[in-house]
Amino acid sequence: IDFSTGLVLNIGNNSFFDQKYYYDSVYRNDKSIADSVTIKRNRNNNQVIPSIGAFFHVYSRFLSPINIGGMVGASLGSDQRAYFHLGSCLLIGKSDRLIIGGGISIANGETLDGKYEENQIIKRGLAPTSIPNETATRIGGYVSVSWNLNLIK
């Protein structure tokens, strides 16, 4: 078992990251504004969120300077969210090791409250002041490059 820290790139489609919504006016056929609004989702351009992570690595130590193993860890993203990781890794070196890893990322993300739907039309007077969100667990992927912290030599 080894421990390392390094750079993580959390990768996912739009639903992996926090979702933001806004109200948009509904227009009548004559282009006048109706007394209703619709819930629209902001476009999220993030496909990758960088973070700093820490990992535990499990592998068989061979005489070879290159080994394959598994890894589990956590990271804090530039979006201030915690990500949890499970994957495999390539360990390069004998004492101090460069570790290249990849696998699945798990994080909690904000999404539209289950009582509402995207593109739902609501009477303006009955619409909540702010659009309700809820937290949901999301699964994406990650790639990482880390350096083994060999504290005992």
Side-chain angles (χ1 to χ4, degrees):
I1 295 178
D2 280 336
F3 177 75
S4 71
T5 62
L7 175 66
V8 180
L9 298 176
N10 296 290
I11 304 165
N13 61 18
N14 201 26
S15 65
F16 182 56
F17 302 107
D18 283 341
Q19 303 297 303
K20 303 289 185 202
Y21 298 89
Y22 66 96
Y23 290 123
D24 195 12
S25 296
V26 174
Y27 294 91
R28 296 186 179 104
N29 291 338
D30 66 358
K31 307 288 185 208
S32 63
I33 296 177
D35 64 343
S36 299
V37 292
T38 185
I39 297 173
K40 297 288 186 180
R41 182 173 54 174
N42 286 340
R43 183 174 174 185
N44 185 350
N45 293 323
N46 292 327
Q47 297 290 323
V48 176
I49 297 289
S51 60
I52 300 293
F55 297 96
F56 287 104
H57 308 276
V58 179
Y59 63 100
S60 296
R61 291 181 188 252
F62 296 111
L63 296 175
S64 170
I66 298 177
N67 292 295
I68 296 174
M71 62 193 299
V72 62
S75 65
L76 181 63
S78 60
D79 58 355
Q80 303 301 308
R81 285 181 17 187
Y83 294 87
F84 300 96
H85 311 287
L86 178 64
S88 57
C89 59
L90 180 66
L91 299 99
I92 303 168
K94 287 191 173 257
S95 178
D96 294 326
R97 292 174 182 81
L98 173 69
I99 298 107
I100 301 168
I104 63 169
S105 257
I106 301 169
N108 286 333
E110 292 292 316
T111 188
L112 187 60
D113 187 299
K115 299 175 192 170
Y116 298 93
E117 296 177 11
E118 193 173 335
N119 296 318
Q120 179 178 351
I121 296 174
I122 305 169
K123 290 284 188 190
R124 195 176 299 273
L126 300 176
T129 305
S130 60
I131 298 172
N133 288 329
E134 63 184 9
T135 301
T137 301
R138 303 292 188 183
I139 296 177
Y142 78 95
V143 293
S144 65
V145 176
S146 58
W147 186 257
N148 170 235
L149 297 176
N150 197 351
L151 302 177
I152 301 173
K153 293 198 178 201

